[in-house]
Amino acid sequence: MGRRSGILEFAVLGLLRESPMHGYELRKRLNTSLGVFRAFSYGTLYPCLKTLVTSGWLTEEPGHTTEDALAAPLAGRRAKIVYRLTAEGKEHFEELLSQTGPDAYDDEHFAARFAFFGQTSRDVRMRVLEGRRSRLEERLEKMRASLARTRERLDDYTLELQRHGMESVEREVRWLNELIESERAGRDLKGSAAGGTAQQDTTNGATGGLPRSGEPSRPDTPGDTAT
């Protein structure tokens, strides 16, 4: 399984843990809630869904809304298929949530992992955040060393681009420092006491760690840092 397909499967399982959805709803949530998936198409999503069904992690069910029921006779189309997470799929997703290997620190994978932090235990969140920060600090050190070596050979625009990339990484490191400090203090993003609202959201599957309706998104998206 490729890295990007693995990230997509992780996100699909996480979204379906909230509630069953049909393919269009899933793609919309992937596009609007997880910016890293904006480039994914139906041609990528549906093979992923079929793979998850074959693996026993999802089931396919016919749509039950009035619109779905009328779709076939009126428009000559099949009713939309609704995808539902199985017990095995939930168990598999929870196993993926507990993983804190190097892939969890990469730009795209970290963005997806962070989106589901509301369903992730605090100790795992800490390991992922600290791993991401360490990865970015290494990147920043390399960028500074490269800039110091090549500064005299760069034109003004290339130099400005290099500086912009460094500033983006520095901003994310500061953001991660704030998150890690909050986690260590036992606070969630709203400053609640440990084990309070965050744990309740995990139990109920209310948001799956995604931004709630009406809430502002975070200012710096991890996946936007320079590589």
Side-chain angles (χ1 to χ4, degrees), residues 166-180:
M166 288 177 56
E167 290 172 358
S168 297
V169 178
E170 289 169 345
R171 283 197 301 271
E172 187 175 343
V173 170
R174 290 194 297 269
W175 175 69
L176 289 167
N177 285 336
E178 293 173 358
L179 289 174
I180 290 170

Side-chain angles (χ1 to χ4, degrees), residues 184-217:
R184 286 176 176 166
R187 302 189 301 267
D188 63 16
L189 293 184
K190 291 185 176 180
S192 300
T197 304
Q199 180 62 40
Q200 188 176 19
D201 287 348
T202 300
T203 303
N204 296 337
T207 65
L210 297 171
R212 293 171 175 80
S213 177
E215 286 187 356
S217 59

Side-chain angles (χ1 to χ4, degrees), residues 2-64:
R3 176 175 296 181
R4 284 181 66 85
S5 62
I7 299 171
L8 180 59
E9 290 184 6
F10 171 82
V12 167
L13 292 172
L15 289 173
L16 290 176
R17 190 185 185 192
E18 298 179 33
S19 64
M21 302 182 202
H22 54 67
Y24 175 78
E25 291 174 315
L26 272 171
R27 186 171 184 236
K28 185 176 180 180
R29 290 294 303 278
L30 288 167
N31 289 342
T32 59
S33 300
L34 300 171
V36 67
F37 295 106
R38 287 179 185 136
F40 278 78
S41 66
Y42 282 109
T44 304
L45 177 59
Y46 282 102
C48 171
L49 290 169
K50 293 299 183 183
T51 297
L52 294 175
V53 170
T54 301
S55 299
W57 297 329
L58 301 182
T59 60
E60 294 179 321
E61 303 173 357
H64 297 296

Side-chain angles (χ1 to χ4, degrees), residues 21-22 24-25 61-75 77-82:
M21 302 182 202
H22 54 67
Y24 175 78
E25 291 174 315
E61 303 173 357
H64 297 296
T65 66
T66 302
E67 179 183 353
D68 289 336
L70 295 175
L74 294 181
R77 294 184 285 111
R78 292 185 302 170
K80 295 176 181 177
I81 295 175
V82 173

